Each structure stands twice: as structure tokens, then as C-alpha cells.
Amino acid sequence: MGQSVRLTRRPDTVDAVLTRMRSLAATLPERDGIAVFNRVYLTVTEAVGHRLTAGRFTDPHAAATLDVRFAGRYLAAVDAADRGRRPPACWRPLFQLRRHPGVRPLQFALAGVNAHIGHDLALAVVDASLALGCEPEDLESDFDRVGDLLAALEERVREELMPGPDLLQIADPLTHLLSAWSLERARDAAWSSARALWALRRLPDVAEEFAQRLDAAVGFAGRMMLTPLPH
């Protein structure tokens, strides 16, 4: 990535997040795996912004805080890779294989969703709770609303990037990869992980170990999702 898309500080508003994602979309090659995920995630973040403006969240300030902390973890991974540092383990397979010709766009998109929900969402709930001085349970209704948008994201990904029925045969390995992962289960696991991390916040060593193991496990799943497939 070029110098123009580097981030000097974490975005602190939804508009700043959108500006950053649009900059990435304009800079990255279309077939790049990060670009594929960024396009679909940008759509969801735009929907969050519209719903915030329309007052569709129980607590707009809390929802915006959660959304910004959530997106910030993805953008921090982008910046780490841009600066030659290792991104978190959950993101590493996507950055390593982002230009592999044998990985299909649908795999890139779902691997990004897996990293972002499986790891980043849980930590973002904790981040937001600390920033707002509240309990994770106070964010649950807005967490669910954001989760509904993410479910719509998965549906959009499959509609736009899934090969047509004439191309995707039952024996295609992609069908098996898709059936092995569920956004709903990942979202439920993220909420459980957030609650566990919150309960462990006064035991920083244990919390750090838990977070590292979560990161590694999500990264392992992502690596399987990005297995190069024949076309």
C-alpha cells in the first residue's frame, strides 16, 4: 500500500472510519483480498451510519462507539501490514494470501468476516464498555442490531461473490468450505468471548492468554478458509 492510505491515528467517528475505508477502496487493486473484504465491510459500515442518523439504535452514542472500536481493529491490522509489522494472527492468513491466484473472492471476503467477528468483535465490546464506563450487557441490544447488519453482510457476500449454480457443483470444495462456517455461531461465540474477557479484566495475565488463544484459533480457521482451490 502507498503512503497516502497510512493512518496517523485511530478514527474516532463513524464518518472517519468511512473515509478511511473509502480511501482503501480507491487505492487497492480490485482483486486484492483486503480490497474484496473492504468493499463488503464498507457497505455494512455505511448502513450503520444511516441507521445512526435515523435513530435506529437504542443508544446512538454507545452504538457509534462500538462500531468505531470494532472497525478500528480491522484498520489497525491494515496499518500493521502496511508498515511491515505482523498483524494479529486472526488477520495474518488474509494478508499472506491476499494476492494468491488460487483463492477465490468469496473466500477472501468470508475470511475477513471470520477474523473480524471471531476475534475483533469480542475485543471491541470490551473496548467500548471500558470507554463508556458500562457493562457489556448494556451494549447487548446494539450489539444485536450490529449483528443483524453483519448477517446481511454475509448474505450480500454470498449473493455477489458466490459462483452461479451452473458453475458451483455439489462436489466443488468451495461448497464444503462454506458449509463449515456460520456467521450466527461466530457472533454468538464473540458475545461469549466478550463476556469472558470482561470477567477476566482484573486478571490481566489470564485475559491476555485468553485473547491470544482466541486470536490463534480464529487465525487457524481463517487459514483453512483460504485454502487455494482449483477453478
Side-chain angles (χ1 to χ4, degrees), residues 146-202:
V146 171
D148 291 342
L149 289 173
L150 292 169
L153 164 64
E154 185 188 29
E155 182 176 347
R156 182 185 181 96
V157 165
R158 291 175 186 266
E159 287 177 355
E160 293 187 2
L161 300 178
M162 174 81 81
D166 55 328
L167 298 176
L168 187 62
Q169 303 299 322
I170 191 65
D172 192 315
L174 186 58
T175 62
H176 299 283
L177 281 176
L178 292 177
S179 64
W181 188 84
S182 162
L183 185 143
E184 184 176 355
R185 289 196 298 269
R187 189 175 78 176
D188 289 345
W191 182 249
S192 297
S193 295
R195 295 184 63 205
L197 285 166
W198 185 254
L200 292 171
R201 68 190 184 282
R202 294 186 180 88

Side-chain angles (χ1 to χ4, degrees), residues 48-207:
V48 170
H50 293 323
R51 293 193 180 197
L52 284 168
T53 301
R56 300 281 295 278
F57 288 96
T58 305
D59 183 339
H61 175 62
T65 299
L66 176 59
D67 184 72
V68 169
R69 299 290 175 132
F70 185 32
R73 289 191 168 270
Y74 155 61
L75 296 174
V78 171
D79 287 328
D82 188 31
R83 293 166 183 167
R85 300 196 303 267
R86 280 158 62 92
C90 62
W91 286 105
R92 218 166 288 154
L94 183 54
F95 282 97
Q96 291 170 343
L97 296 168
R98 62 193 293 181
R99 298 180 182 90
H100 196 296
V103 179
R104 304 185 197 180
L106 179 59
Q107 292 174 264
F108 287 136
L110 290 182
V113 174
N114 169 68
H116 204 36
I117 294 178
H119 174 264
D120 293 354
L121 184 54
L123 274 67
V125 170
V126 174
D127 291 345
S129 297
L130 291 170
L132 295 165
C134 68
E135 299 285 323
E137 285 72 16
D138 297 326
L139 301 176
E140 188 169 7
S141 61
D142 289 326
F143 175 95
D144 288 340
R145 285 178 172 81
V146 171
D148 291 342
L149 289 173
L150 292 169
L153 164 64
E154 185 188 29
E155 182 176 347
R156 182 185 181 96
V157 165
R158 291 175 186 266
E159 287 177 355
E160 293 187 2
L161 300 178
M162 174 81 81
D166 55 328
L167 298 176
L168 187 62
Q169 303 299 322
I170 191 65
D172 192 315
L174 186 58
T175 62
H176 299 283
L177 281 176
L178 292 177
S179 64
W181 188 84
S182 162
L183 185 143
E184 184 176 355
R185 289 196 298 269
R187 189 175 78 176
D188 289 345
W191 182 249
S192 297
S193 295
R195 295 184 63 205
L197 285 166
W198 185 254
L200 292 171
R201 68 190 184 282
R202 294 186 180 88
L203 298 170
D205 290 345
V206 179

